[in-house]
Every structure is written in C-alpha cells, then in structure tokens.
Amino acid sequence: DARPPLLLLLAACAPPPCATAAPTPPGWEPAADAPWCPYKVLPEGPEAGGGRLCFRSPARGFRCQAPGCAAHASAGRSLRASVLRNRSVLLQWRLGPAEARRVRAFALNCSWRGAYTRFPCERVLLGASCRDYLLPDVHDGVRYRLCLQPLPLRAEPAGAPEPAAPAECVEFAAEPAGMREIVVAMTAVGGSICVMLVVICLLVAYITENLMHPAFGRPGLRRQP
C-alpha cells in the first residue's frame, strides 16, 4: 500500500460510516421546535373541562442566581422551583426522550399549608411541549406544595390504558423580602440618627466646657477704695 502511515492510522481510528453520536440527555429547556406552551388554568371544583386556553413562551436560558433567587428541587430531582425576589415562582421540569413520547399533557396542582389543613391555590393543565410554568404571585411566609403529574397517552379502544406516572412534588416558602428591606432601611436610618446624636452631644460638651465655664469661674473686678 502506497498510502502514508498517518493516513492509515486515521482510517483505522475513524468510526464506521453508519455510526452516529449518542443523543444529548434532555435538559431543563423545551425543544427548539416548541415556541409556545399551551395551558389551561382550571376552575376550583370537581369539573376539569373548564378554563380558557392560553399560550406562553418558554423561559429559555433562565438561571437561578443568589441572592435574587432560591432554588428548591423535588425528591426525584426532575422538578424544581425557582423562587424569585418579586414573589413569583418559575417551575421547571424535564423528561427523558422515551418518557416524553408517552405524555399527552401535565397536571399541575398547587396547595398551601394552613394551621390545620391544606388549601388548594391553583390547578393547571399544560401541554406535552411545556417544560416550565410561572406562578406570578405567592405570599410571604406561606408553605407551598407544587405537584406535577405527567398524563399518559389515551389507549386504543382495544388496548389497556397505560398507568399514569407518579407525581413529582416540591415544597418551598417565599422569603419575606419586603420585611428584610424594611429592616435594612430602619437599621441604616437608626445608624444615621445615632451618629447625629453623638455629634450633638460632642457639640454641647464643647460649648459647656469652653464658653459657659469662663463666664462663671472668672472673678469680678473689685473697685479700689
């Protein structure tokens, strides 16, 4: 063979023509061909078919960075809630490629814990292409619980229905950022007032020591006989 040894080595190390790279594991963002997320906010009560169909764009490239954001993950690590400083919560989830092909929708249930029981706060039905959802307003100091359950595809008339996957749940409590800012502001104002009081005390002491004492301590002039 007249080919150089380097070309022979490269040809031996190259993969076969039909070989393909392994697929990249799915991330937290939706697919590139899913520009919109269809969802329905369901009314309270037993009826689940109501609600108006809405669309939202996915939060691509979002990163939860402290101190303006606090991240909370579920036990299975496939669901996370990013609690922002403006009292909104971005919920994100991910699925494997095989599992994503068997999902027709997602059911999101929100509840918060009271003194003796739990109260429902929101029920949302999201499309299969959705990978995030934004809760616009949560209350400070309240313990929330968000549960997301994938809904399987409807079975054929002759086939057995596929069992639903278990729900992933995440719990969090929004930090009272407003109260913290008030405390910081009050601390700064209190520090300024303390500095002003110290300056006033020093000024009063200086006036008392240098201006008032000589007037009372100096003897008066006596008239000679």
Side-chain angles (χ1 to χ4, degrees), residues 28 70-82 168-172:
W28 292 99
H72 304 268
S74 63
R77 315 299 296 180
S78 62
L79 178 67
R80 68 181 180 188
S82 300
E168 284 278 338
C169 298
V170 59
E171 293 190 6
F172 63 89

Side-chain angles (χ1 to χ4, degrees), residues 15-54:
C18 296
T20 57
T24 304
W28 292 99
E29 295 187 359
D33 57 351
W36 300 102
C37 167
Y39 68 95
K40 279 185 178 183
V41 179
L42 303 177
E44 296 183 4
E47 65 277 2
R52 184 180 61 180
L53 180 63
C54 302

Side-chain angles (χ1 to χ4, degrees), residues 130-219:
C130 299
R131 292 298 180 271
D132 58 54
Y133 182 73
L134 182 68
L135 274 74
D137 190 16
V138 295
H139 298 285
D140 297 337
V142 177
R143 191 74 181 175
Y144 285 89
R145 180 182 177 91
L146 299 175
C147 294
L148 184 79
Q149 184 177 19
L151 302 180
L153 294 172
R154 292 186 174 91
E156 298 294 332
E162 186 174 352
E168 284 278 338
C169 298
V170 59
E171 293 190 6
F172 63 89
E175 184 180 358
M179 184 61 65
R180 184 179 63 249
E181 294 174 357
I182 291 175
V183 171
V184 172
M186 292 179 63
T187 304
V189 172
S192 301
I193 293 176
C194 290
V195 171
M196 292 177 60
L197 290 176
V198 170
V199 172
I200 292 173
C201 291
L202 292 175
L203 183 60
V204 170
Y206 175 80
I207 292 174
T208 304
E209 183 70 24
N210 295 277
L211 299 181
M212 302 296 292
H213 284 182
F216 292 99
R218 186 171 56 190

